[in-house]
Amino acid sequence: MKARVHVMLKNGVLDPQGEAVRHALGALGFDKVEGVRQGKVIDLDLAEGATEADVTAMCEKLLANTVIESYSIELQ
Amino acid sequence: MKAAVVVFPGSNCDRDLAVAFEQAGFDVSMVWHKDSALPEGIDIVGVPGGFSYGDYLRCGAIAAQSPICKAVIDHADRGGYAIGVCNGFQILTETGVLPGALLRNAGLKYICRTVDLKVATSESVFTQGYSAGDVIGVPIAHHDGNYFADEETVRALQDQDRVAFTYADNPNGSVADIAGILSENRRVLGMMPHPERAADEGHGGTDGAAVFRALAGMVTAA
């Protein structure tokens, strides 16, 4: 099984990298961009028998810092 | 008087921290990240600055899961003294020993210079060598020093007098200008600025030395 984990800074937490990207897009003339948030994608190759609950535990323990980040899991 | 300094792959302020402890009179043991126990009878553990595990995933995230960090958490849970500087502060927040998290600097730049810090409280073993309101010059060197905690946590830190240092001129966007905080029992200090880099005449300033002198005073008095 494969799992894709998306980790994003929570809403309300300043994302300076996203802001920098937004400015750069604006400078390139893409003036219809009102906001950019930058996160990360982590792909996991899982062994037989792994469950979504396992991936959730991984997110809670290591992959996301839930003080500042939210995560979502896509199983493939 | 015994101190332990943890060394992770990527630590680069471990020796500076050890020297600052030694100058204050501590015997210092260096402890490797793969060790699972701290030396017997230590009075304080130092978690140094640097880029543990290359800052992969998040600053301090992987270090926080290392065997030695479990021992550091146990030490803190038992009421032991600990200080985390810069990456060490990030690690202590990742372990949950201290609340909050460190984000990318608001200005996006890596900042390396001496800044003015205000001593917010002298009511801790780390800050008792200062008076509240003192302004001291201490170097910072970080890319992810923007302290963040939710409103409730920040209010609790302020209400419980657990903000140790604030920036006189906030360089990185930290909430409420916070540069360093104390644990609930006031025995763990985490701070982004480097007092160990302002602890000797050769550093160009000695404003940070009082942190280590005060720690030595605490141990001698005990």
Side-chain angles (χ1 to χ4, degrees), chain A:
Chain A
M1 186 171 75
K2 288 179 190 295
R4 174 162 285 183
V5 175
H6 297 259
V7 179
M8 296 294 295
L9 283 169
K10 284 180 177 170
N11 287 332
V13 174
L14 176 70
D15 177 0
Q17 294 181 100
E19 273 299 285
V21 174
R22 186 179 68 85
H23 278 290
L25 287 172
L28 287 170
F30 296 106
D31 50 10
K32 293 191 180 64
V33 182
E34 292 179 340
V36 176
R37 306 287 284 172
Q38 181 177 322
K40 47 192 150 196
V41 173
I42 301 165
D43 282 342
L44 305 171
D45 273 322
L46 298 165
E48 196 82 9
T51 64
E52 184 168 0
D54 293 330
V55 181
T56 301
M58 294 174 209
C59 290
E60 290 285 329
K61 191 156 170 62
L62 180 67
L63 300 180
N65 177 342
T66 55
V67 175
I68 48 172
E69 293 171 330
S70 59
Y71 62 86
S72 62
I73 298 165
E74 242 176 77
L75 297 176
Q76 294 159 346

Side-chain angles (χ1 to χ4, degrees), chain B residues 206-222:
Chain B
T206 56
D207 284 3
V211 170
F212 301 97
R213 275 202 308 270
L215 285 170
M218 161 275 290
V219 175
T220 318

Side-chain angles (χ1 to χ4, degrees), chain B residues 97-122:
Chain B
V97 168
L98 292 171
L102 281 308
L103 296 168
R104 184 60 41 105
N105 293 342
L108 273 175
K109 288 196 173 73
Y110 177 88
I111 313 169
C112 180
R113 62 182 162 87
T114 297
V115 297
D116 282 344
L117 287 188
K118 284 189 201 162
V119 178
T121 180
S122 59

Side-chain angles (χ1 to χ4, degrees), chain B residues 124-172:
Chain B
S124 81
V125 69
F126 307 94
T127 57
Q128 63 189 354
Y130 306 103
S131 301
D134 280 358
V135 176
I136 59 175
V138 180
I140 57 171
H142 59 239
H143 204 167
D144 298 76
N146 179 350
Y147 182 73
F148 174 85
D150 59 34
E151 272 179 47
E152 195 184 335
T153 305
V154 172
R155 206 173 316 116
L157 288 171
Q158 291 169 332
D159 290 350
Q160 296 164 18
D161 192 31
R162 287 168 53 198
V163 177
F165 300 102
T166 57
Y167 297 106
D169 184 13
N170 193 338
N172 54 29

Side-chain angles (χ1 to χ4, degrees), chain B residues 176-201:
Chain B
D177 301 329
I178 289 172
I181 57 169
L182 295 159
S183 61
E184 211 164 342
N185 67 4
R186 315 185 79 74
R187 292 181 176 200
V188 181
L189 169 71
M191 62 190 291
M192 285 312 295
H194 289 272
E196 81 283 8
R197 290 191 191 175
D200 185 282
E201 290 295 347

Side-chain angles (χ1 to χ4, degrees), chain B residues 56-86:
Chain B
Y56 293 160
L57 189 64
R58 289 181 310 278
C59 303
I62 297 178
Q65 306 300 329
S66 64
I68 196 62
C69 262
K70 288 184 181 60
V72 172
I73 295 166
D74 289 345
H75 169 83
D77 284 349
R78 285 195 304 269
Y81 289 98
I83 180 172
V85 174
C86 199

